[in-house]
Amino acid sequence: MPYSKMKLAVGIFVVIFFIAISTAMFFLLKEKGTFDKRYTFYFNTESAKSFNIGMPLKFSGFNIGVIDNIALQDNGTVTMAFSVNQDNKKWISKESVLTLRKPLIGSAHIEVYSPTGSKPLASGSTLEIFISDDINDMITKLEPAVNKILNIINSIDSITTYIAKEDSELMMMLKNIEKFSSNLVKD
């Protein structure tokens, strides 16, 4: 009989363990929003460059959605599908504008700009996206300053090269000061 009781105890333990793990997984997935209703929206671009599935959509710095699908259309354009949950659907309206941000530091994301108080857009609608290349924009803005700095460095190099020549005015003046001071010491 002790063998039967042990089998029963192990069986009960396995069942309780399985129920506990399943319950914990359910609550974890529920907290992550896995079971929340999702609303899908679309936008079109000329290229899928810089986009990827799972890329976040942010509103005021908060993640509100992700890109779920990227598809190449017959006309050569790319259609992206993104989804948001019920709580974040209010941030997607007809007046919403999407902007691809590729910051110098950090990962690329899509920024959602939407006026407050706007009526939410129906699921399945298409929005417009603008692509902002922060790195290249910054390089373009810094290019004139970099050119000026390079000109200054070239000028300093030319000046120091000239001054270091044996027949430069500074070198001649230093030689004359040396002769004058040596004559003073002799006298």
Side-chain angles (χ1 to χ4, degrees):
M1 261 331 192
Y3 181 71
S4 297
K5 285 184 179 180
M6 185 186 287
K7 280 175 60 176
L8 180 64
V10 169
I12 290 172
F13 174 77
V14 169
V15 168
I16 291 172
F17 181 74
F18 178 73
I19 290 171
I21 293 293
S22 299
T23 303
M25 289 297 290
F26 172 76
F27 283 114
L28 180 69
L29 291 173
K30 185 176 189 263
E31 188 64 32
K32 288 286 187 181
T34 303
F35 305 115
D36 291 348
K37 181 169 173 136
R38 308 280 304 168
Y39 297 90
T40 302
F41 301 93
Y42 301 92
F43 63 88
N44 299 311
T45 66
E46 296 297 318
S47 170
K49 181 180 163 188
S50 302
F51 294 97
N52 57 13
I53 293 176
M55 176 182 270
L57 275 84
K58 294 185 177 191
F59 181 82
S60 295
F62 291 92
N63 288 347
I64 63 166
V66 294
I67 292 180
D68 295 320
N69 190 23
I70 300 173
L72 181 62
Q73 301 302 313
D74 291 337
N75 63 2
T77 62
V78 178
T79 299
M80 312 261 179
F82 68 92
S83 64
V84 297
N85 63 17
Q86 176 69 39
D87 293 338
N88 293 317
K89 184 178 185 277
K90 63 186 172 194
W91 304 119
I92 309 297
S93 67
K94 187 175 183 176
E95 293 83 21
S96 293
V97 176
L98 307 175
T99 304
L100 173 64
R101 294 284 180 193
K102 296 187 281 185
L104 188 59
I105 297 174
S107 60
H109 64 277
I110 298 171
E111 191 70 36
V112 178
Y113 298 99
S114 186
T116 55
S118 298
K119 183 179 173 187
L121 193 61
S123 184
S125 299
T126 301
L127 294 163
E128 189 173 353
I129 187 164
F130 296 99
I131 298 176
S132 170
D133 195 355
D134 291 350
I135 295 170
N136 289 333
D137 291 345
M138 185 180 290
I139 289 170
T140 302
K141 289 177 184 174
L142 290 176
E143 192 171 354
V146 170
N147 288 337
K148 285 182 183 180
I149 291 170
L150 289 175
N151 286 338
I152 291 170
I153 290 171
N154 287 336
S155 296
I156 290 172
D157 183 49
S158 298
I159 291 169
T160 54
T161 301
Y162 175 74
I163 290 174
K165 289 183 180 178
E166 280 296 316
D167 60 345
S168 70
E169 287 85 8
L170 180 65
M171 293 305 272
M172 298 298 276
M173 189 179 355
L174 289 174
K175 287 179 186 176
N176 287 336
I177 290 173
E178 184 181 344
K179 284 182 188 176
F180 180 73
S181 61
S182 65
N183 285 341
L184 283 177
V185 171
K186 287 182 188 177
D187 293 336

